[in-house]
């Protein structure tokens, strides 16, 4: 090793690549205990300080957990871990709201296609109960919360873990970029009623395993949301959404 470099890489990069390879090749799995700093340092031929530096970085990013007196473990809240990185990348790329919305739309259409055949009776009943609650008089804040819950249940019903992970990340990004976005949509009574009907159309399509009918409900839903998003981002005056 010369000038803090190993195989042409800085020492911390070399150590980080080691951990990445261990995870990507499946040698390290979730909740596995890592070797001690001394063991890793001897294996890689680097100082314990270099190992400790990378460990600290991985702990900050949420990839490992260091338990005093017990050791270091692979831990990961996937959504939290990815959000930290993706938020910064999107900020640097200056990704706008519509790009996030377009991606979210694609995810949900895929989830709907999968859920049409994969949703269990229990999941459909949970969605049904959410819609019944949404039909009751309540505040915009409460209605927006149930709206989020409905879409999360739909994603869960796809039974695709990767899809659920990435869609959850996008929900959080939308909420961070536009505070109370759903609330703004639901404040307009006509728009709220059209969304209510669209949600029921999606649900009924799932119950009947009628993908075409469910897709029609989704098309109406996303046209309403897209229209409002454009008004917010372009600061246009609001108008009622035509039926």
């Amino acid at each position: 090793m010369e000038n803090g470099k190993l195989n042409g890489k800085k020492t911390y990069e070399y150590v980080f690549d080691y951990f990445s390879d261990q995870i990507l090749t499946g040698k390290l799995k979730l909740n596995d205990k890592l070797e001690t700093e001394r063991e890793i340092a001897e294996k890689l031929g680097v100082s314990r300080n270099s190992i400790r530096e990378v460990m600290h970085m991985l702990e900050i990013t949420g990839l490992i957990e260091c338990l005093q007196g017990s050791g270091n473990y692979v831990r990961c809240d996937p959504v939290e871990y990815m959000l930290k990185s993706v938020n910064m990348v999107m900020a640097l790329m200056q990704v706008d709201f519509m790009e996030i919305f377009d991606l979210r739309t694609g995810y949900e259409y895929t989830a709907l296609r999968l859920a049409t055949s994969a949703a269990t009776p229990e999941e459909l009943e949970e969605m049904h109960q959410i819609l019944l609650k949404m039909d009751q008089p309540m505040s915009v804040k409460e209605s927006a919360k149930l709206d989020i819950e409905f879409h999360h249940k739909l994603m869960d019903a796809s039974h695709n873990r990767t899809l659920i992970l990435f869609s959850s990340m996008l929900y959080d990004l939308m909420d961070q970029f536009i505070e109370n976005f759903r609330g703004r949509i639901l404040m307009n009574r006509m728009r709220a009623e059209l969304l209510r009907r669209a949600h029921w159309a999606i649900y009924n399509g799932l119950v009947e395993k009628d993908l075409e009918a469910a897709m029609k409900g989704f098309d109406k839903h996303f046209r309403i949301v897209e229209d409002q998003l454009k008004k917010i981002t372009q600061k246009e005056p609001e108008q009622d959404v035509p039926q």
Side-chain angles (χ1 to χ4, degrees):
M1 183 169 66
E2 297 181 0
N3 300 323
K5 291 188 177 182
L6 193 62
N7 295 337
K9 296 181 180 180
K10 293 181 179 179
T11 305
Y12 76 86
E13 292 177 333
Y14 177 72
V15 175
F16 184 85
D17 286 348
Y18 165 77
F19 283 113
S20 297
D21 179 70
Q22 292 288 297
I23 292 173
L24 292 173
T25 58
K27 295 174 183 176
L28 277 179
K29 299 181 177 61
L30 198 60
N31 297 320
D32 279 355
K33 184 177 181 179
L34 303 180
E35 296 172 285
T36 65
E37 293 176 1
R38 179 180 57 79
E39 290 171 331
I40 299 173
E42 291 177 354
K43 179 183 295 186
L44 300 183
V46 300
S47 70
R48 291 181 63 178
N49 283 338
S50 296
I51 301 298
R52 194 172 296 115
E53 179 184 358
V54 174
M55 289 279 201
H56 183 60
M57 180 173 61
L58 294 173
E59 184 178 21
I60 290 174
T61 58
L63 195 57
I64 69 170
E65 182 180 12
C66 301
L67 299 178
Q68 189 68 31
S70 177
N72 302 312
Y73 296 83
V74 179
R75 303 277 200 240
C76 184
D77 181 331
V79 175
E80 181 181 355
Y81 177 72
M82 295 182 70
L83 269 175
K84 288 179 180 179
S85 301
V86 173
N87 279 345
M88 289 186 287
V89 171
M90 288 192 171
L92 291 172
M93 292 176 62
Q94 297 183 325
V95 174
D96 63 33
F97 309 127
M98 290 306 303
E99 290 178 283
I100 298 172
F101 171 76
D102 290 339
L103 188 57
R104 178 199 154 186
T105 302
Y107 283 164
E108 290 215 23
Y109 273 121
T110 301
L112 182 63
R113 177 176 57 79
L114 294 172
T116 301
S117 58
T120 66
E122 292 76 18
E123 288 169 333
L124 291 173
E125 181 57 27
E126 288 175 351
M127 296 173 69
H128 184 223
Q129 291 302 317
I130 293 170
L131 293 180
L132 290 176
K133 291 178 183 177
M134 291 176 71
D135 282 349
Q136 302 303 312
M138 66 180 64
S139 68
V140 169
K141 183 177 181 179
E142 291 173 317
S143 183
K145 183 178 179 181
L146 287 171
D147 183 276
I148 294 172
E149 190 176 348
F150 178 85
H151 286 275
H152 283 175
K153 291 295 182 184
L154 173 62
M155 296 304 303
D156 290 343
S158 74
H159 295 274
N160 183 306
R161 293 182 299 170
T162 304
L163 197 59
I164 294 169
L165 168 62
F166 278 88
S167 65
S168 296
M169 180 180 66
L170 289 178
Y171 289 145
D172 289 340
L173 284 171
M174 288 293 288
D175 290 342
Q176 289 178 24
F177 281 141
I178 306 177
E179 187 177 2
N180 299 321
F181 178 58
R182 285 182 174 83
R184 295 191 190 192
I185 295 176
L186 296 171
M187 284 178 68
N188 181 291
R189 290 186 178 181
M190 179 179 293
R191 192 163 50 225
E193 173 60 21
L194 292 176
L195 276 177
R196 187 189 72 82
R197 296 180 189 178
H199 283 128
W200 275 105
I202 294 167
Y203 166 75
N204 288 328
L206 288 173
V207 171
E208 299 297 327
K209 298 189 180 300
D210 186 338
L211 179 59
E212 184 178 355
M215 285 291 190
K216 287 181 179 178
F218 245 96
D219 286 339
K220 292 179 180 178
H221 179 283
F222 279 113
R223 278 200 301 270
I224 297 168
V225 176
E226 182 179 23
D227 178 77
Q228 178 65 5
L229 182 55
K230 287 179 178 178
K231 287 179 170 61
I232 292 174
T233 56
Q234 298 171 7
K235 295 181 171 58
E236 296 178 358
E238 288 196 20
Q239 298 176 354
D240 287 339
V241 180
Q243 191 168 1

